[in-house]
């Protein structure tokens, strides 16, 4: 059960996702690409092959899904009481399982260096937390408690 209306959940999730995905892109572009690319030993796509529409679409959906799950979880949890604690808790649950778990599995299964994957997992989880905090704040912002009279102008 969500602690907000479906329409409020939808727009706050989209705003949180936009903030998180743009932050994620900025961190990748400004920090991770220069640091991690040489450590991946050819694992990453580069140049024209990296930026075609299908690959961008995969990255968008690949980050949208964990953000949605974290946002839904935070909006559904009864505790902790504060939106910020719920947002961080839910994002950390999803980020640790989703990013750290998946990237560790990829490192063990494939021939991929673990260290840059963990750098990416930290960045991805941090962006997930920020997006969830934005969505959680917007979900509770200017919301009337149940049964409260309308605010006076």
């Amino acid at each position: 059960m969500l602690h907000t209306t479906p329409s409020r959940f939808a727009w706050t999730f989209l705003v949180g996702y936009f903030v998180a995905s743009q932050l994620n892109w900025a961190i990748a572009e400004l920090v991770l690409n220069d640091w991690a690319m040489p450590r991946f030993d050819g694992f990453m796509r580069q140049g024209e092959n990296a930026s075609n529409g299908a690959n961008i679409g995969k990255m968008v959906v690949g980050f949208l899904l964990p953000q949605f799950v974290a946002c839904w979880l935070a909006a559904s949890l009864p505790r902790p009481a504060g939106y910020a604690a719920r947002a961080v808790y839910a994002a950390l649950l999803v980020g640790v399982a989703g990013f750290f778990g998946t990237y560790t599995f990829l490192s063990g299964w494939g021939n991929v260096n673990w260290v840059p994957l963990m750098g990416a997992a930290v960045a991805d989880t941090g962006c997930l937390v920020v997006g969830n905090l934005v969505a959680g704040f917007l979900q509770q912002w200017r919301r009337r408690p149940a049964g409260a009279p309308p605010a006076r102008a």
Side-chain angles (χ1 to χ4, degrees):
M1 176 177 110
L2 290 176
H3 299 291
T4 189
T5 64
S7 63
R8 190 173 186 104
F9 174 81
W11 74 262
T12 57
F13 157 69
L14 289 174
V15 170
Y17 170 73
F18 179 76
V19 169
S21 65
Q22 294 305 301
L23 178 62
N24 192 268
W25 171 83
I27 290 170
E29 188 67 32
L30 301 173
V31 178
L32 285 180
N33 287 349
D34 292 338
W35 173 78
M37 283 282 204
R39 290 169 176 78
F40 277 131
D41 300 325
F43 175 72
M44 300 293 289
R45 290 186 173 104
Q46 292 182 341
E48 200 173 296
N49 191 21
S51 61
N52 74 32
N55 293 330
I56 298 297
K58 289 175 193 175
M59 288 187 284
V60 166
V61 171
F63 194 74
L64 184 131
L65 292 174
Q67 187 72 60
F68 180 82
V69 170
C71 194
W72 186 275
L73 183 59
S76 301
L77 288 172
R79 289 185 200 92
Y83 83 89
R86 278 194 317 271
V88 171
Y89 179 68
L92 288 176
L93 283 174
V94 172
V96 167
F99 297 124
F100 285 91
T102 301
Y103 298 169
T104 298
F105 177 82
L106 281 175
S107 177
W109 183 56
N111 188 21
V112 186
N113 191 352
W114 182 76
V115 173
L117 286 172
M118 291 304 99
V122 168
D124 292 344
T125 301
C127 293
L128 198 68
V129 168
V130 170
N132 236 24
L133 283 167
V134 168
F137 172 77
L138 292 173
Q139 286 171 12
Q140 61 84 40
W141 182 57
R142 301 178 89 182
R143 190 178 76 179
R144 285 186 299 150
R152 293 186 189 191

